[in-house]
Amino acid sequence: MTEAVSRVDPGLTEPLLAKRTSRHWLIAAFLTTTIVALPVLSVIFLAFFPEENIWPHLLDTTLPRYLSTTLQLMLGVGALTLVIGLSSAWAVTMCEFPGRRFFEWAMLLPFAVPAYVIAYVYTSLLDYAGPVQRNLRDWFGWENAGDYWFPEIRSLEGAILMIGLVLYPYVYLLARAAFLEQSPSLFAVSRSLGHSALSTFFRVVLPIARPAVAVGLSLVLMETLNDFGTVDFFAVQTLTAGLFDTWMNLGNLGGAAQIATTMLIFVVILVTLERYSRRRQQQFAARDNRDPIQRFTMSTPRQFACLAVCAVPVLFGFLIPGFTLGLYAWEYFGESWNTDFIQNTLNSLFLSGTAALTTLLIGITLAYSRRLHDTKGMQVLMRLSSLGYAMPGAVLAVGVIVPLAGFDNWLDSLARDVFGVSTGLLLSGSTFALVFAYTVRFLAVSAGSVESALQKITPSMDMASRSLGHTPGKTLVRVHLPMLRGTLMTAALVVFVDCMKELPATLILRPFNFETLATYVYQFASDERLYHSALPALIIVLAGIIPIILMSRSISNTRTMG
């Protein structure tokens, strides 16, 4: 009897061991999500319990102006990106014109240029002392600014234009993907009923693509809310600029947290409106949504109109800034290429690489935990882990510094009492704070990519691996990760580039005498040394082109082109 039981024991303990191992993944996901959500909770707590409550003062003085300017900026950028993104996506998807294949991927190129970089470039070109106004004065004989009128680039309207030129790819990207997924029979039926191409777009195509467009627009508005470099350089007083001013100039962290909470309310409203707009829409793939697209044939003037719709954003959003940066970088290469530039480049590579690897590991943990435990609780954890992506960088910096500084102060006090020594700022005063902030902000990119890729792997692969005696961990390493290699590389690359461009969180959390390429560019621009910022800005732009090509290919491959 004992012998028989001993023979059965291994078979009985194996499922229990597998279940216990699977539970470990759930615990890891819960702990990770708790840490990631900590900055949000810290901001809210500090806003309601500040050391010095200046909320009444903010309400009576600066906050209404911050709110008004922020709303105007978001409305302006939203309208501009909608017009550019929708018109260009429709043109390259459904219209045949010269250069269409080039513009399919070229429309994404402004994505590689941070908004603050393009603001610096056009300021150097269009300012009073810039080459454009200088040549106008030489040609027409004008002697000073009073002799002529020229639009002011450093204004709210200028900020709307600069930010809109680099953010419209959000709308273009998702709108084009939605257009590619639609059935050609819908266009044929609409045209057979006598509707023109433009009428078909507004009556048939746009209503179906509305959910994707709403997502793209919400991302645009959140990135607009996050922008600091452009609004600071143009002296536009938004909530982000007010947060920096309250914290850095007034030294009031509680007031900064209160402004940050106001920004969080904006984010919640945006996300809620985006989901509300598509609450009753449920779409299914059409049977012919992989058939070749029959594009509209148009007259020559309309072909040139499509060409202009696509060429103008690429020209002003990428070609002119890229050419200008390249020219300045070449002209001032000897002065720009120095030990500071090399060190700051290494700093950016180290931080971005570390954050990309960290977000990838955590993203794999969360996505695989969701695969093992596909419950409502796990779905909530996945949503909470994605909160950081919706948080503006300045808000995230406030949320990160509060718990880390609290831990540092507690540890320092403990070390003084027990050992008589001071530990200093171990976390909040180091690069750990930056990596932590980057990880929280861009975790949604890696976790979402891995989760969507894992959903495409049939569960029978897991069952086969488990039947061979592999634990969930071994199944992940030996089965899933080799199949996810391309997805993992793409996700890591996108996070890497996003970290290279991140400015607000880096400005607040960087250690003393520590610069990245983004802060290096900002420092030169703040000192009106725009020419010297060209080389580091060019490196940031070039780094962003690689994921753009990957994204364009992935979208184009979703449909066989006719």
Side-chain angles (χ1 to χ4, degrees):
M1 184 70 177
T2 306
E3 188 175 350
V5 172
S6 64
R7 289 177 183 173
V8 179
D9 278 346
L12 290 174
T13 56
E14 187 175 342
L16 294 176
L17 179 62
K19 186 175 182 180
R20 186 178 303 171
T21 307
S22 177
R23 191 179 301 161
H24 292 164
W25 286 90
L26 184 61
I27 295 173
F30 176 78
L31 293 177
T32 301
T33 305
T34 302
I35 295 173
V36 169
L38 188 60
V40 181
L41 301 177
S42 300
V43 169
I44 297 174
F45 177 82
L46 187 59
F48 282 96
F49 304 99
E51 294 183 3
E52 180 184 357
N53 185 19
I54 64 170
W55 182 252
H57 175 72
L58 290 174
L59 282 175
D60 293 336
T61 55
T62 58
L63 190 61
R65 183 170 66 252
Y66 294 152
L67 288 171
S68 174
T69 308
T70 301
L71 285 173
Q72 293 179 58
L73 181 67
M74 294 173 70
L75 289 174
V77 172
L80 182 61
T81 53
L82 272 180
V83 171
I84 298 176
L86 287 176
S87 59
S88 57
W90 173 252
V92 300
T93 305
M94 297 304 304
C95 304
E96 196 63 62
F97 61 94
R100 181 191 59 79
R101 289 186 177 273
F102 167 75
F103 286 111
E104 281 184 353
W105 62 271
M107 294 301 301
L108 294 173
L109 288 176
F111 228 161
V113 187
Y116 54 86
V117 169
I118 198 174
Y120 302 156
V121 169
Y122 278 107
T123 298
S124 68
L125 293 176
L126 302 178
D127 218 0
Y128 179 78
V132 173
Q133 292 200 52
R134 189 169 60 247
N135 289 330
L136 287 176
R137 290 194 295 271
D138 292 340
W139 293 340
F140 295 100
W142 296 326
E143 295 183 359
N144 52 59
D147 295 336
Y148 64 99
W149 176 87
F150 195 85
E152 178 59 53
I153 184 66
R154 299 198 190 197
S155 61
L156 176 62
E157 294 76 16
I160 290 173
L161 182 60
M162 296 298 101
I163 298 174
L165 280 175
V166 299
L167 292 186
Y168 80 81
Y170 276 116
V171 178
Y172 167 81
L173 193 70
L174 294 172
R176 181 171 174 244
F179 296 160
L180 288 171
E181 289 291 327
Q182 294 186 18
S183 169
S185 60
L186 294 175
F187 311 141
V189 170
S190 177
R191 297 306 298 275
S192 67
L193 293 175
H195 293 294
S196 64
L198 188 62
S199 177
T200 300
F201 172 75
F202 282 108
R203 290 173 177 262
V204 178
V205 177
L206 189 57
I208 298 177
R210 191 179 68 184
V213 175
V215 173
L217 182 60
S218 64
L219 290 173
V220 166
L221 297 179
M222 284 190 283
E223 287 296 329
T224 303
L225 189 64
N226 177 58
D227 182 85
F228 172 72
T230 306
V231 297
D232 177 67
F233 193 65
F234 284 3
V236 178
Q237 296 182 326
T238 62
L239 286 169
T240 305
L243 189 154
F244 270 82
D245 184 62
T246 304
W247 190 354
M248 298 301 179
N249 296 334
L250 299 181
N252 193 301
L253 183 58
Q258 290 168 339
I259 296 178
T261 304
T262 306
M263 297 173 70
L264 282 178
I265 295 174
F266 268 81
V267 172
V268 171
I269 292 174
L270 289 175
V271 174
T272 304
L273 289 176
E274 181 268 321
R275 292 186 177 179
Y276 182 81
S277 67
R278 55 186 174 92
R279 69 194 186 283
R280 295 181 179 176
Q281 287 201 355
Q282 188 175 10
Q283 299 178 11
F284 301 94
R287 184 175 299 177
D288 59 346
N289 71 339
R290 289 296 181 268
D291 293 347
I293 295 177
Q294 302 299 322
R295 295 186 177 85
F296 300 125
T297 56
M298 299 177 296
S299 62
T300 301
R302 291 186 177 182
Q303 290 184 28
F304 278 105
C306 289
L307 181 63
V309 164
C310 297
V312 170
V314 176
L315 176 65
F316 289 97
F318 182 80
L319 295 180
I320 292 178
F323 177 78
T324 305
L325 288 176
L327 188 64
Y328 290 167
W330 176 265
E331 186 176 353
Y332 290 86
F333 183 82
E335 300 178 33
S336 301
W337 187 274
N338 49 42
T339 55
D340 288 339
F341 168 74
I342 296 174
Q343 182 60 53
N344 297 333
T345 303
L346 294 176
N347 291 342
S348 290
L349 294 176
F350 167 74
L351 288 174
S352 302
T354 305
L357 180 60
T358 305
T359 54
L360 203 59
L361 293 175
I362 297 176
I364 292 172
T365 302
L366 291 172
Y368 194 59
S369 300
R370 167 75 184 276
R371 185 178 180 87
L372 295 174
H373 302 275
D374 192 9
T375 61
K376 290 185 177 181
M378 195 61 218
Q379 293 176 12
V380 173
L381 291 180
M382 288 295 294
R383 288 187 178 182
L384 290 176
S385 67
S386 303
L387 284 176
Y389 195 69
M391 293 178 64
V395 176
L396 184 61
V398 176
V400 167
I401 202 68
V402 171
L404 293 187
F407 176 80
D408 282 341
N409 292 332
W410 172 81
L411 187 63
D412 182 70
S413 177
L414 181 64
R416 287 175 182 271
D417 295 338
V418 177
F419 302 105
V421 296
S422 175
T423 58
L425 300 177
L426 295 178
L427 299 181
S428 57
S430 66
T431 55
F432 175 85
L434 277 174
V435 174
F436 180 47
Y438 292 164
T439 302
V440 173
R441 176 151 169 72
F442 302 115
L443 178 60
V445 177
S446 61
S449 300
V450 176
E451 183 185 12
S452 61
L454 278 175
Q455 290 175 350
K456 299 177 182 178
I457 300 177
T458 173
S460 61
M461 302 289 289
D462 301 66
M463 297 176 186
S465 177
R466 298 295 291 275
S467 67
L468 295 174
H470 293 309
T471 63
K474 287 185 178 180
T475 302
L476 173 66
V477 173
R478 296 188 179 186
V479 178
H480 294 116
L481 291 186
M483 301 177 69
L484 297 175
R485 189 181 297 114
T487 298
L488 297 179
M489 290 182 62
T490 303
L493 188 59
V494 172
V495 173
F496 179 87
V497 174
D498 281 338
C499 294
M500 290 276 288
K501 297 191 294 184
E502 176 61 35
L503 179 62
T506 311
L507 280 174
I508 294 176
L509 297 174
R510 59 181 171 154
F512 293 111
N513 298 321
F514 185 92
E515 302 285 347
T516 65
L517 287 176
T519 61
Y520 197 50
V521 171
Y522 172 79
Q523 178 184 342
F524 276 123
S526 300
D527 295 338
E528 299 294 339
R529 299 166 63 188
L530 299 173
Y531 298 100
H532 297 85
S533 68
L535 183 59
L538 188 62
I539 298 299
I540 296 175
V541 172
L542 293 177
I545 294 178
I546 301 175
I548 284 173
I549 297 175
L550 294 176
M551 283 190 292
S552 178
R553 284 183 177 180
S554 66
I555 293 178
S556 296
N557 291 337
T558 60
R559 183 116 182 206
T560 303
M561 293 298 172

